[in-house]
Amino acid sequence: KAGVTQTPRYLIKTRGQQVTLSCSPISGHRSVSWYQQTPGQGLQFLFEYFSETQRNKGNFPGRFSGRQFSNSRSEMNVSTLELGDSALYLCASSAGQDYSPLHFGNGTRLTVT
Amino acid sequence: KQEVTQIPAALSVPEGENLVLNCSFTDSAIYNLQWFRQDPGKGLTSLLLIQSSQREQTSGRLNASLDKSSGRSTLYIAASQPGDSATYLCAASSGSARQLTFGSGTQLTVLP
């Protein structure tokens, strides 16, 4: 069974630009969550999508948005990039039940210059 | 607001030693607690998930326990190997089962 796939693996963007990250969950998983990992703040929850609907949202500004498609693939968009957005962005999928473990991809490393 | 703390931040042990990693959380109203490992430059690998109604889970050389009343979880690694070297993260879910609050991790080095 293929794991969670995130593309691209690395991105370099300039301040003010926008970026879109992609995540393909494990086959059959309907829940996709996004996390940001930085050395200073650690891992922080961004949002979760289930069956194309945002179910939960973390404490991030509106520049961070996402969506989920009917095949459960998800995209995350960050507009008007800031230097502080440089981070490893991790996507996790799960079957969606309360006791389903989260399975993470290898992440997209975003560098904003 | 849930807060998760992991002690120690770093640990170095000789190969073959049994070891315990600690995790504490402030809000006992959790859905579950999950342990992960992260290798440098990689994503997270799920190790064990303990449901809120459970006390422990085992997988191979790993055993994780959960004590909600004291807000603590431990990860026990038996007969450590150099391949166990990684950062170990615990995460508690509260509010939503998939909204995890992570600790800052314990960086484990197992010396051959």
Side-chain angles (χ1 to χ4, degrees), chain B residues 45-95:
Chain B
T45 300
S46 176
L47 297 174
L48 290 165
L49 179 146
I50 313 174
Q51 299 176 23
S52 61
S53 59
Q54 298 175 326
R55 294 299 299 265
E56 65 177 333
Q57 280 287 337
T58 298
S59 176
R61 294 182 295 109
L62 305 179
N63 175 277
S65 68
L66 174 65
D67 184 344
K68 284 202 323 179
S69 62
S70 66
R72 291 183 180 180
S73 177
T74 61
L75 178 67
Y76 175 83
I77 302 177
S80 58
Q81 303 170 357
D84 294 331
S85 297
T87 296
Y88 289 79
L89 296 146
C90 74
S93 61
S94 49

Side-chain angles (χ1 to χ4, degrees), chain A residues 48-60:
Chain A
E48 181 212 357
Y49 286 86
F50 183 87
S51 294
E52 302 179 66
T53 300
Q54 186 179 88
R55 252 196 324 197
N56 296 288
K57 190 176 190 304
N59 189 27
F60 277 81

Side-chain angles (χ1 to χ4, degrees), chain A residues 9-61:
Chain A
R9 284 284 282 133
Y10 302 93
L11 268 176
I12 301 175
K13 291 287 187 178
T14 305
R15 270 181 302 176
Q17 289 185 315
Q18 76 166 17
V19 67
T20 299
L21 314 181
S22 180
C23 172
S24 293
I26 291 172
S27 178
H29 284 188
R30 296 166 63 191
S31 168
V32 173
S33 305
W34 289 88
Y35 288 80
Q36 180 197 64
Q37 186 175 32
T38 60
Q41 299 297 318
L43 275 150
Q44 294 184 286
F45 173 78
L46 282 156
F47 31 66
E48 181 212 357
Y49 286 86
F50 183 87
S51 294
E52 302 179 66
T53 300
Q54 186 179 88
R55 252 196 324 197
N56 296 288
K57 190 176 190 304
N59 189 27
F60 277 81

Side-chain angles (χ1 to χ4, degrees), chain A residues 9 31 33 35 37 43 45 48 55-58 88 90 94 96-106 109, chain B residues 31-32 34 36 38 41-46 49 51-53 89 93 95-104:
Chain A
R9 284 284 282 133
S31 168
S33 305
Y35 288 80
Q37 186 175 32
L43 275 150
F45 173 78
E48 181 212 357
R55 252 196 324 197
N56 296 288
K57 190 176 190 304
L88 180 65
L90 292 163
S94 82
Q97 285 76 42
D98 284 351
Y99 301 132
S100 303
L102 268 66
H103 299 275
F104 283 79
N106 282 330
R109 171 74 63 185
Chain B
Y31 283 87
N32 53 56
Q34 200 165 350
F36 299 89
Q38 185 173 31
K42 296 291 183 66
L44 279 63
T45 300
S46 176
L49 179 146
Q51 299 176 23
S52 61
S53 59
L89 296 146
S93 61
S96 158
R98 286 152 304 282
Q99 183 167 347
L100 301 182
T101 300
F102 282 85
S104 53

Side-chain angles (χ1 to χ4, degrees), chain B residues 2-13:
Chain B
Q2 179 73 271
E3 292 181 5
V4 179
T5 304
Q6 290 187 250
I7 295 174
L11 181 64
S12 184
V13 301

